[in-house]
Amino acid sequence: MKRRTITELSSIEFTGSLGAAFHAYGRALTGLAQRWGTELEIAAVDAEAAMSSMKGHVLLFGLDSKVRARRVAKRLQRAQELTAALAEQGEHFHRSYRKHFTPTA
């Protein structure tokens, strides 16, 4: 099986000035998570719209199809919320390093 890497993150090496490397990694992680979040938000809306257009039960006037579409799209919305939390943690990464490893004067 071919191994995949996230090149934006794997290209950052933790050598030399660790503060600068961790800052760059945190920014890259935040940016990547925000892009994933945007993509998942768009996909959730598009998927729900596509599934809602499907014909449902005749006696329910298609409302069952809309409810099921909302339930399925909710999975993508939850994934989008997780990427927002990941972006926030990427911002906290460098600050945590500075707090715990940078000596105060």
Side-chain angles (χ1 to χ4, degrees), residues 63-105:
L63 289 176
D64 61 328
S65 180
K66 289 179 183 15
V67 169
R68 288 183 292 176
R70 191 172 305 128
R71 284 183 184 163
V72 173
K74 189 71 173 173
R75 298 286 178 183
L76 290 175
Q77 291 169 353
R78 287 184 188 137
Q80 188 269 332
E81 291 169 3
L82 290 173
T83 61
L86 179 62
E88 184 178 336
Q89 292 305 313
E91 293 172 0
H92 293 303
F93 176 62
H94 179 251
R95 280 185 259 158
S96 181
Y97 166 74
R98 276 195 343 232
K99 177 182 176 184
H100 294 288
F101 286 96
T102 304
T104 56

